[in-house]
């Protein structure tokens, strides 16, 4: 007769995993909308502005024969509270540049100072291409078309900067905090059948994503938290790719179950991780 399955349990409520980075994808068919983006315009003479068509963002100047130094239009990206921008890459296109000193500038605000990510000074008409920078630690991103001066800027029809396919890597330095741990998986030293552990977790920054159990270092299937926002937007590869800059709930409860009949008798180490 086969003996009853018994496990000598060493339960570890592990240091919460993934207090690190996740990716925010915007301005694309898989993640439309302006989550995090806001326009800025400074043009006393008018006829400068921004728009947000379905496929991206636009800053444009039109109808006037020339624009004065200092006039500008563009877009600002602000990361969620308790995060910073680690890196940024985006597709850009520039058109309608005539004469004068147009400047195309993509920059990051780091410790209150502007750090250039990509510039074209003086601007030229540019086809679609991906540009970006890493190691930023930024509190804000800016992308704009400016009349830099000293000469006035002359459009060839409509001068414009178009943006699409933004990928922002956000750094979330705060690990989730776990409380109210209970259940037979946490209390028992010898396990039989299916046993469970429940907990409640809170998280600053990106939110509480998932909870999973590891047995002897091998991860089981995750318990997903939150709604459809809190899901990987790109199948395959890195599971930390989202269509929202703050995708997951700041607090959530979860229950993790473990079927011990799938394990051999003996001593095992079980870790429950909150991501």
């Amino acid at each position: 007769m086969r003996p009853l399955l018994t496990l000598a349990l060493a339960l570890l409520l592990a240091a919460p995993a993934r207090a690190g980075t996740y990716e925010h994808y915007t301005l694309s068919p898989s993640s439309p909308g302006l989550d995090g983006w806001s326009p800025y315009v400074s043009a006393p003479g008018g006829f400068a502005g921004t728009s947000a068509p379905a496929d991206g963002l636009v800053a444009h100047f039109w109808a006037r024969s020339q624009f004065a130094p200092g006039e500008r239009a563009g877009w600002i990206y602000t990361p969620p509270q308790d995060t910073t921008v680690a890196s940024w890459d985006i597709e850009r296109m520039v058109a309608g540049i005539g004469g004068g000193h147009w400047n195309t500038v993509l920059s990051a605000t780091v410790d209150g100072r502007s750090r250039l990510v990509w510039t074209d000074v003086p601007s030229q008409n540019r086809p679609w291409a991906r540009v970006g920078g890493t190691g930023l630690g930024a509190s804000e991103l800016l992308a704009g078309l400016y009349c830099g001066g000293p000469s006035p800027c002359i459009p060839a029809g409509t001068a414009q900067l178009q943006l699409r396919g933004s990928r922002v890597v956000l750094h979330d330095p705060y690990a989730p905090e776990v409380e109210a741990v209970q259940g037979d998986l946490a209390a028992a030293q010898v396990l039989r059948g299916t046993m469970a552990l429940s907990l409640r977790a809170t998280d600053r920054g990106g939110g509480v994503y998932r909870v999973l159990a590891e047995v002897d270092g091998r991860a089981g299937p995750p318990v997903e938290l939150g709604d459809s926002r809190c899901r990987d937007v790109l199948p395959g590869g890195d599971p930390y790719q989202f269509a929202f800059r703050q995708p997951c709930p700041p607090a959530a409860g979860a229950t993790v179950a473990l079927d011990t009949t799938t394990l051999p008798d003996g001593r095992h180490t079980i870790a429950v991780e909150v991501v």
Side-chain angles (χ1 to χ4, degrees):
M1 178 181 294
R2 188 183 185 280
L4 290 174
L5 176 72
T6 59
L7 303 179
L9 171 67
L11 177 70
L12 305 176
L13 189 60
R18 199 69 189 186
T21 62
Y22 63 98
E23 301 174 19
H24 179 207
Y25 287 78
T26 58
L27 315 181
S28 68
S30 62
S31 53
L34 297 181
D35 186 18
W37 293 96
S38 57
Y40 68 92
V41 177
S42 176
F47 299 99
T50 60
S51 61
D55 56 350
L57 304 175
V58 182
H60 50 147
F61 298 77
W62 74 98
R64 287 164 54 188
S65 61
Q66 63 182 33
F67 290 83
E71 295 190 290
R72 59 186 60 200
W75 290 88
I76 298 172
Y77 176 90
T78 305
Q81 186 176 0
D82 296 321
T83 71
T84 56
V85 176
S87 66
W88 177 38
D89 57 88
I90 191 169
E91 288 185 81
R92 61 93 187 101
M93 187 269 282
V94 183
I97 301 299
H101 293 150
W102 293 101
N103 296 340
T104 309
V105 178
L106 276 66
S107 65
T109 302
V110 182
D111 295 329
R113 303 179 66 180
S114 181
R115 172 178 168 180
L116 297 178
V117 175
W118 181 84
T119 62
D120 198 25
V121 180
S123 298
Q124 302 180 41
N125 294 319
R126 300 283 185 182
W128 284 108
R130 183 163 288 276
V131 297
T134 60
L136 300 178
S139 59
E140 188 178 72
L141 302 172
L142 298 92
L145 182 61
Y146 310 153
C147 183
S151 300
C153 296
I154 301 169
T158 297
Q160 59 184 307
L161 166 66
Q162 295 189 40
L163 304 166
R164 69 185 184 190
S166 174
R167 171 183 171 271
V168 179
V169 178
L170 294 165
H171 180 239
D172 176 356
Y174 299 100
E177 296 184 0
V178 177
E179 60 183 7
V181 178
Q182 56 187 330
D184 47 19
L185 186 57
Q189 291 299 302
V190 178
L191 308 183
R192 297 177 176 84
T194 298
M195 308 191 82
L197 176 145
S198 66
L199 55 84
R200 182 168 178 79
T202 58
D203 183 61
R204 300 165 64 178
V208 185
Y209 180 27
R210 52 175 49 163
V211 180
L212 54 89
E214 289 187 358
V215 180
D216 301 328
R218 296 185 300 275
V223 176
E224 304 286 0
L225 304 176
D227 57 19
S228 60
R229 296 165 54 100
C230 189
R231 300 293 181 268
D232 181 19
V233 73
L234 298 178
D238 192 330
Y240 302 95
Q241 301 164 321
F242 302 97
F244 298 89
R245 58 181 177 149
Q246 193 165 22
C248 298
T255 298
V256 179
L258 176 65
D259 181 5
T260 66
T261 65
T262 62
L263 303 173
D265 288 356
R267 184 174 181 84
H268 297 270
T269 300
I270 301 172
V272 176
E273 291 192 342
V274 180
V275 184

